[in-house]
Amino acid sequence: MNVKAYFAQRRRIKKLSKPKVRRSKSNKIIFAIVFVIFFLYACTYLYTFGWAIIVSLRDRLEFIHDPFALPGALHFENYIDAFVSLQVGGSNLLVMMFNTIWYSLGATVICVFASNFLAYVVCKYKNLFGRIYYYIAVFVMLIPIVGALPQQYALYDTLGIIDTPLFLITYVGGTGFQFILFHGFYKNIANDYADAAKVDGGGHFTIMFRIMIPQSLPMTLALGIIAFIGYWNDYMTVFMFLPSHPTLATGLYLFQTQPSIRSNYPLLYAAIIIATVPVVVLYAAFQEKIMVNTVAGGLKG
């Protein structure tokens, strides 16, 4: 069998094994309307991203003359100039990229694993403390950020962790979106695994780290990617609590306030593309795992 015949046979097998879904006329109409709405919604993002790429490749004077025209020539040197010219407090784009990586990775690892461990303990060990902590986690999600910010800043200032990498310890709290999803995931896991391990002489740590936690690794990866993207784009936290360690998001926010940038938008958009491409590629590579693992953990619980 040659290669062409092999792939033709695989297509026939896949077509036969795929179940046929028969939709009613009303379902087809609803599906078409929803598809058009989401297609138009996606086009707005694609247009914005494409327009930013075009602007980043234009000449400064050409952009001032006609902001919506296509570039006469592609100026890739704008990306090189962005690394050299754009600075915040003496930090260029390379330094800000380094700050973004250690801040995003550190916050993601601490937050996701703390949420994972706490969700397991709260879900599998039924006691008053667990119930109280669960309701506190839900309540904290309802508090407006502005309402808690003054007390939060005063507490961090008292602890002496503002403007130092030690600020990452504030993500050990384990509350929030990740905690709720992990709680739903562990709630869906039967206790038969733990009971079998107890019969074989396994203790609490054995059950937790060798049986339960490994089952949550796919979901941990999915939530880790979501958290990483969120911390990568977080500019306000770094702006307030880590002013000497600006990230890409914080730098882009501060660039817009500089008078020199207002006359050189191609340079600014080149920096925006540099900061955006890594998370776009990351999400595109793992979008299927994110959807499958987060939905399974959140809904079944």
Side-chain angles (χ1 to χ4, degrees):
M1 182 183 296
N2 55 30
V3 177
K4 186 176 181 181
Y6 171 75
F7 283 104
Q9 184 178 0
R10 288 197 59 180
R11 285 194 295 269
R12 287 195 297 268
I13 294 174
K14 187 177 181 180
K15 185 176 181 180
L16 292 174
S17 60
K18 187 177 181 180
K20 294 183 179 180
V21 180
R22 295 183 177 180
R23 296 187 178 94
S24 63
K25 187 175 180 180
S26 59
N27 287 339
K28 290 180 180 179
I29 295 174
I30 295 175
F31 179 82
I33 294 174
V34 172
F35 176 81
V36 170
I37 292 174
F38 279 97
F39 176 78
L40 295 175
Y41 183 69
C43 287
T44 59
Y45 279 95
L46 293 175
Y47 170 78
T48 304
F49 189 69
W51 188 78
I53 294 176
I54 293 174
V55 172
S56 68
L57 296 173
R58 298 188 63 186
D59 181 69
R60 179 177 65 87
L61 297 178
E62 185 183 42
F63 176 80
I64 295 175
H65 177 70
D66 189 356
F68 297 98
L70 293 175
L74 300 180
H75 296 272
F76 291 99
E77 65 273 12
N78 288 340
Y79 289 88
I80 300 176
D81 293 341
F83 279 100
V84 178
S85 303
L86 299 181
Q87 294 189 3
V88 172
S91 301
N92 56 24
L93 279 186
L94 285 175
V95 176
M96 285 185 281
M97 184 171 291
F98 174 75
N99 292 336
T100 305
I101 292 173
W102 70 256
Y103 170 74
S104 302
L105 281 177
T108 298
V109 171
I110 293 173
C111 179
V112 172
F113 279 97
S115 300
N116 192 347
F117 298 157
L118 283 169
Y120 169 76
V121 174
V122 170
C123 182
K124 292 302 181 181
Y125 292 89
K126 307 294 184 181
N127 52 51
L128 180 61
F129 169 78
R131 290 194 295 270
I132 293 176
Y133 187 88
Y134 178 80
Y135 290 125
I136 290 176
V138 176
F139 178 73
V140 167
M141 295 178 65
L142 303 177
I143 299 177
I145 297 176
V146 178
L149 195 57
Q151 295 80 6
Q152 190 177 7
Y153 190 91
L155 175 62
Y156 296 163
D157 185 51
T158 303
L159 294 175
I161 59 176
I162 292 180
D163 208 15
T164 68
L166 291 176
F167 175 78
L168 294 178
I169 65 174
T170 60
Y171 294 106
V172 183
T175 59
F177 172 72
Q178 290 89 357
F179 173 81
I180 299 300
L181 287 183
F182 275 123
H183 187 276
F185 174 82
Y186 287 119
K187 190 176 181 181
N188 186 57
I189 297 179
N191 292 326
D192 297 341
Y193 298 103
D195 295 337
K198 290 179 182 178
V199 172
D200 294 335
H204 294 288
F205 285 95
T206 301
I207 296 172
M208 179 176 178
F209 290 103
R210 299 188 63 180
I211 298 176
M212 293 297 185
I213 298 298
Q215 296 185 66
S216 69
L217 289 182
M219 187 174 183
T220 302
L221 175 62
L223 292 179
I225 294 171
I226 295 175
F228 181 83
I229 294 174
Y231 292 127
W232 183 284
N233 295 322
D234 182 14
Y235 68 93
M236 187 55 66
T237 302
V238 178
F239 176 74
M240 293 194 60
F241 301 112
L242 295 170
S244 299
H245 303 81
T247 60
L248 288 173
T250 306
L252 292 174
Y253 172 74
L254 295 174
F255 288 156
Q256 301 176 48
T257 63
Q258 298 179 5
S260 59
I261 296 300
R262 296 175 183 176
S263 61
N264 196 350
Y265 277 101
L267 198 67
L268 175 62
Y269 277 92
I272 291 175
I273 296 300
I274 293 172
T276 304
V277 167
V279 292
V280 171
V281 173
L282 181 66
Y283 183 81
F286 293 97
Q287 60 175 332
E288 185 175 352
K289 291 184 178 296
I290 293 173
M291 294 298 298
V292 171
N293 291 306
T294 54
V295 170
L299 295 182
K300 290 183 180 179

